[in-house]
Amino acid sequence: MPDLLLELFSEEIPARMQAKAADDLRRMVTEKLVAEGLVYEGAKAFATPRRLALTVHGIPARQPDLKTERRGPKMGAPDAAVQGFLKATGLKSLDEAKIQKDPKGDFYIALIEKPGRAAIDVIADMIPVIIRTFPWPKSMRWGARSAKSGALTWVRPLHAITATFGLETEEPDVVKFSVDGIEAGQTTYGHRFMAPSAISVRRFEDYEAKLKAAKVILDPQARKDIILEDAKELAFAQGLELVEDQVLLDEVSGLVEWPVVMMGSFEKEFLSIPDEVIRATIRNNQKCFVVKDPKTGKLTNKFVLTANIEAPDGGKTIVAGNERVIRPRLSDAKFFYETDLKTRLEDRLPKFEQIVFHEKLGTQAERIKRIERLAAEIAPLVGADVEKTKRAARLAKADLLTEVVGEFPELQGLMGKYYALAQGEDASVAAASEEHWKPQGPTDRVPTDPVSVAVALADKLDTLVGFWIIDEKPTGSKDPFALRRAALGVVRTILTLNRPLNLLKLFDEACALFPPKLPGEENTEAYAAHLLSQKPDTGPARSERYYVSLELLGFFADRLKVQLREQGARHDLVDSVFALDDDDDLLRIVRRVEALGKFLDSDDGKNLLAGTKRASNILSIEEKKDKRTFDGAPDAALYRLDEEKTLAAAIDQVKAEASAAVAKEDFAGAMSAMAKLRPAVDAFFDKVKVNDDDPKVRENRLKLLNEIRAATRAVADFSRIEG
């Protein structure tokens, strides 16, 4: 079957847009092909700075013929209806229609045959539409066409379109169409400087090979491989090691069509700057890689650049030009760093009084005070020194006002650590400046130093509680303040810490640090009443903020489910444990979920779950029938069968043993106790008729079933477990 080759040749496409643009081109073309009945075998898209390219293999030469039936009016219908039917279906007379029998009468049926079109004609119609509606994040008009009504907008000026279609064994045809005066053909162009002449291409293999001969590597991954391998070899040849950077590699590969790797250098005096500042300066300003000494792990005064040309002088001019630009950039960075060192971190804090964190949550200075107080409360719980924690919390945000962080925001926290160490702070206090921001994503590391843990938890809890109080919670896919990430960070930190923490108490303490009424905080009483209505079993009236804490606890339950699901745990087991509403210690909940999962994998667990669900189903049916619940202890005097007595005794024993085990956080022991219920439950359902003819006996047996449900709730709500 024929193949399609499509290339859109333009001025330089921004590197950050290329990968998505290639994927969008593949998606839009292939979806349209399938919609037109042209099911293809495979497709692959490519991008270079000056072109988007697509090859689609195995496209049918023609669309399939379509045969459809269209139902018309009844026999004997008015002439106007008949004429409308004939006109709509293209029939000359009713003699060409079929008659379909129907209980409501006999109807005319038109058989409409639509012959398939040649695939090349379908493609010629669809590609101009795709080009005109291409979803660039930004686009532009240009030249004389910019004044035309309806002129093409594209990310950069579009110069040429290559489109061929044909069998591998034959000369392909050009797909005939034009867009804004640009005629599709089979001509493309090589490297802008080294091979700018026009190239005539036929199909993809021919196209890719001729581009390579014209100094263009079409495949982005191939360009990445060349850059990475050549950079490693160049560094290795000088006894150095490349500092790999995947994000930078992705960007650089989108800046060149013919990568040529070279090495430059800078003055050694700049090595007095922290390595991260050197790397950020060279990376951000010149898109170059840095190299290190493998023996010391420290950066050297070398860098690796990627040119887009094989220069006649071997690249000396290009290297010199990059060195000439990097030198003043490093000089600026050195000045910023040395200037920052002249001011102590605590001396910067007064400026935070003029910086608003959020219009409803006050200034950064107020927030820092809250974090300091909350961190001091958390410190003993995580094994941190209280005074060091307070000091760390006070200084943790100070580097946001430094010159280096102002220039390179990605270095926030890290520079705080360097500045803290430089002014003689304790190592734990300094580390907290960097680590309190972590984790910033699911793969980021979690803080482990107790001081860092206390400050990190306080920082995230203050954020979460604050935005909850002003009712700025995540909705749907919207989470502008990254509250889901903050909550997941708290969850991961607590689980890594492996210490019990009372979340509800921490929420309450964080809430108490905010003023009774915040600016813009309205209808708090109504909001609290709403939350209370969702949890009617919360007991006597509590403070308004308490109900905010309750809702926030539910939000954390959802984050914990996400975390456990990623680790392979079942979400229904998490639901079953959280449904008890008797524990807000994430570590205990996780241990209980793990023990429950192991128990349910055993035969005892599976059978007990089946028995418990059977008891719950019977109770639900009978409670609905009687319009009442069967609470209360069963009457031992009404037991008629030994199986009832055995089950009652087993329930009493299991309740006591499981509750005692849970109290000691021996969740495996609690599950072992639950296993003792299994034979008694099996025997009960095997021998006992629950709906006895005697109403009193029936009620007593239903109460006994309710006791099964109550006994299992010592470890989990079995009704929420699937299976």
Side-chain angles (χ1 to χ4, degrees):
M1 288 191 288
D3 298 340
L4 169 68
L5 168 64
L6 174 65
E7 183 201 71
L8 306 174
F9 182 80
S10 69
E11 294 294 334
E12 275 72 4
I13 303 167
R16 67 183 184 280
M17 298 183 187
Q18 292 172 21
K20 184 178 185 301
D23 188 61
D24 284 339
L25 181 63
R26 179 195 56 77
R27 174 183 54 80
M28 294 174 78
V29 171
T30 55
E31 285 180 357
K32 188 63 175 174
L33 286 172
V34 172
E36 294 289 348
L38 299 170
V39 180
Y40 63 97
E41 293 178 359
K44 191 170 183 180
F46 305 88
T48 79
R50 295 203 298 160
R51 71 200 78 224
L52 294 180
L54 174 71
T55 176
V56 186
H57 305 291
I59 303 173
R62 294 187 64 82
Q63 288 177 310
D65 296 337
L66 295 178
K67 294 183 179 181
T68 58
E69 290 186 349
R70 180 165 177 173
R71 183 168 172 169
K74 284 184 181 181
M75 293 182 65
D79 185 63
V82 171
Q83 293 303 318
F85 171 64
L86 293 175
K87 183 177 180 181
T89 57
L91 300 182
K92 295 179 181 178
S93 69
L94 290 177
D95 294 337
E96 297 179 1
K98 298 192 303 182
I99 306 297
Q100 184 180 70
K101 301 291 184 181
D102 190 276
K104 296 181 180 180
D106 296 341
F107 289 83
Y108 291 111
I109 299 293
L111 181 62
I112 303 173
E113 296 187 10
K114 182 181 178 182
R117 299 168 63 203
I120 194 170
D121 295 331
V122 175
I123 293 169
D125 287 343
M126 75 186 200
I127 291 180
V129 176
I130 290 171
I131 293 174
R132 292 184 182 280
T133 59
F134 202 82
W136 291 109
K138 293 183 179 180
S139 55
M140 61 180 289
R141 299 179 189 274
W142 61 91
R145 290 193 295 272
S146 64
K148 289 184 179 180
S149 175
L152 176 68
T153 61
W154 195 247
V155 63
R156 293 292 185 270
L158 185 64
H159 292 316
I161 301 172
T162 300
T164 66
F165 183 76
L167 294 168
E168 212 175 292
T169 56
E170 299 175 359
E171 185 69 23
D173 295 317
V174 173
V175 183
K176 299 290 186 181
F177 65 88
S178 68
V179 178
D180 205 37
I182 303 171
E183 296 282 344
Q186 56 188 113
T187 300
T188 187
Y189 300 87
H191 193 281
R192 181 187 289 276
F193 304 111
M194 294 189 289
S197 302
I199 305 168
S200 179
V201 297
R202 298 164 60 244
R203 55 179 51 84
F204 178 73
E205 291 76 12
D206 170 61
Y207 165 76
E208 186 177 33
K210 286 183 176 178
L211 278 183
K212 188 171 183 180
K215 305 298 184 182
V216 175
I217 303 295
L218 180 65
D219 189 345
Q221 187 57 51
R223 297 198 299 275
K224 292 178 191 178
D225 292 342
I226 291 170
I227 295 169
L228 184 59
E229 291 306 313
D230 287 358
K232 283 182 176 180
E233 288 183 12
L234 194 58
F236 181 76
Q238 298 196 31
L240 304 174
E241 183 179 327
L242 180 75
V243 177
E244 296 187 34
D245 186 331
Q246 185 60 50
V247 174
L248 180 59
L249 180 62
D250 292 342
E251 184 176 8
V252 170
S253 70
L255 298 174
V256 297
E257 290 191 318
W258 188 258
V260 179
V261 177
M262 307 174 188
M263 181 174 282
S265 63
F266 54 86
E267 287 77 3
K268 289 186 177 181
E269 66 184 77
F270 293 123
L271 294 177
S272 62
I273 310 172
D275 284 0
E276 293 84 358
V277 179
I278 296 173
R279 182 178 180 184
T281 301
I282 293 176
R283 179 187 195 272
N284 294 5
N285 292 303
Q286 283 303 104
K287 312 302 178 189
C288 296
F289 298 88
V290 292
V291 294
K292 63 183 179 181
D293 184 338
K295 296 177 182 177
T296 64
K298 299 289 292 180
L299 294 189
T300 67
N301 63 324
K302 303 285 186 180
F303 64 90
V304 174
L305 64 96
T306 307
N308 189 35
I309 190 172
E310 293 175 349
D313 63 355
K316 292 180 180 179
T317 303
I318 295 173
V319 171
N322 277 268
E323 291 175 342
R324 191 164 53 249
V325 174
I326 283 176
R327 190 174 296 114
R329 296 292 188 177
L330 286 174
S331 181
D332 288 345
K334 187 172 184 290
F335 173 77
F336 292 151
Y337 176 64
E338 292 174 348
T339 300
D340 287 340
L341 288 174
K342 295 175 182 178
T343 304
R344 294 181 64 83
L345 292 173
E346 59 266 40
D347 293 338
R348 301 179 183 276
L349 298 181
K351 290 185 180 180
F352 281 125
E353 295 175 3
Q354 309 303 318
I355 300 174
V356 175
F357 170 65
H358 186 280
E359 61 180 354
K360 296 181 181 180
L361 296 175
T363 65
Q364 280 281 18
E366 292 170 327
R367 182 165 186 262
I368 289 170
K369 290 178 182 177
R370 291 196 304 268
I371 293 172
E372 183 180 344
R373 292 174 62 186
L374 184 57
E377 296 293 329
I378 296 173
L381 304 177
V382 300
D385 180 274
V386 175
E387 291 306 314
K388 289 181 181 179
T389 300
K390 290 169 66 176
R391 179 71 175 171
R394 192 177 309 130
L395 301 180
K397 305 290 185 184
D399 72 330
L400 295 176
L401 298 176
T402 62
E403 298 289 343
V404 170
V405 173
E407 185 73 15
F408 304 111
E410 67 271 24
L411 298 182
Q412 66 181 17
L414 178 66
M415 295 312 299
K417 180 182 75 171
Y418 283 133
Y419 296 143
L421 291 173
Q423 69 182 39
E425 299 292 340
D426 181 86
S428 292
V429 172
S433 292
E434 178 186 14
E435 294 189 342
H436 86 281
W437 294 101
K438 299 181 177 298
Q440 293 190 337
T443 60
D444 194 16
R445 65 183 179 88
V446 174
T448 54
D449 182 279
V451 172
S452 296
V453 169
V455 179
L457 290 176
D459 180 36
K460 293 174 178 61
L461 290 174
D462 178 82
T463 299
L464 288 158
V465 167
F467 283 108
W468 237 256
I469 288 174
I470 63 174
D471 199 18
E472 290 281 359
K473 303 181 291 292
T475 56
S477 61
K478 296 181 180 179
D479 187 9
F481 303 109
L483 300 182
R484 291 189 181 96
R485 186 177 72 185
L488 191 56
V490 173
V491 169
R492 289 186 59 206
T493 301
I494 290 176
L495 297 185
T496 302
L497 180 66
N498 202 28
R499 278 174 177 256
L501 286 178
N502 185 314
L503 270 182
L504 203 55
K505 184 173 183 295
L506 292 179
F507 295 154
D508 285 344
E509 289 175 350
C511 282
L513 296 174
F514 287 89
K517 287 285 183 181
L518 290 169
E521 186 185 358
E522 301 170 353
N523 301 320
T524 310
E525 293 180 5
Y527 184 50
H530 160 71
L531 292 173
L532 182 57
S533 70
Q534 306 302 308
K535 287 182 174 287
D537 58 340
T538 52
R542 308 292 289 270
S543 69
E544 296 165 0
R545 297 280 172 83
Y546 173 77
Y547 299 109
V548 170
S549 298
L550 286 178
E551 190 181 64
L552 194 53
L553 186 62
F555 180 72
F556 267 72
D558 292 337
R559 296 306 97 203
L560 179 60
K561 291 173 196 173
V562 171
Q563 178 69 15
L564 293 178
R565 188 160 54 243
E566 290 177 354
Q567 295 175 356
R570 289 167 45 180
H571 68 89
D572 57 325
L573 301 189
V574 183
D575 283 339
S576 70
V577 172
F578 262 100
L580 300 182
D581 204 23
D582 66 349
D583 200 344
D584 62 350
D585 186 317
L586 300 185
L587 187 60
R588 279 202 301 265
I589 290 170
V590 170
R591 288 173 177 171
R592 191 181 293 202
V593 169
E594 291 172 349
L596 182 59
K598 291 178 181 178
F599 176 59
L600 293 176
D601 284 339
S602 68
D603 289 338
D604 283 341
K606 292 173 183 175
N607 289 330
L608 180 60
L609 176 62
T612 304
K613 283 188 171 291
R614 184 175 177 184
S616 294
N617 291 338
I618 293 172
L619 278 169
S620 297
I621 293 170
E622 300 306 316
E623 285 173 347
K624 186 176 181 180
K625 186 189 299 181
D626 289 17
K627 297 181 180 179
R628 54 164 293 195
T629 60
F630 293 95
D631 300 326
D635 185 354
L638 292 174
Y639 293 152
R640 291 183 175 179
L641 300 174
D642 290 340
E643 286 76 13
E644 292 174 274
K645 300 174 185 177
T646 302
L647 178 58
I651 289 173
D652 290 339
Q653 179 186 359
V654 166
K655 272 186 178 180
E657 292 182 5
S659 297
V662 168
K664 294 186 295 184
E665 298 187 21
D666 178 12
F667 300 113
M671 300 304 161
S672 297
M674 295 300 302
K676 296 177 182 178
L677 267 183
R678 176 203 167 177
V681 171
D682 290 348
F684 179 85
F685 282 120
D686 189 43
K687 299 293 185 180
V688 179
K689 177 184 177 184
V690 176
N691 287 316
D692 193 84
D693 295 335
D694 185 333
K696 291 185 178 180
V697 173
R698 169 181 174 271
E699 179 180 349
N700 203 58
R701 288 175 177 172
L702 288 171
K703 286 184 176 180
L704 192 56
L705 291 188
N706 191 59
E707 288 290 292
I708 297 175
R709 187 164 58 182
T712 57
R713 284 183 66 85
V715 294
D717 183 349
F718 275 49
S719 67
R720 294 177 179 261
I721 300 174
E722 298 174 359

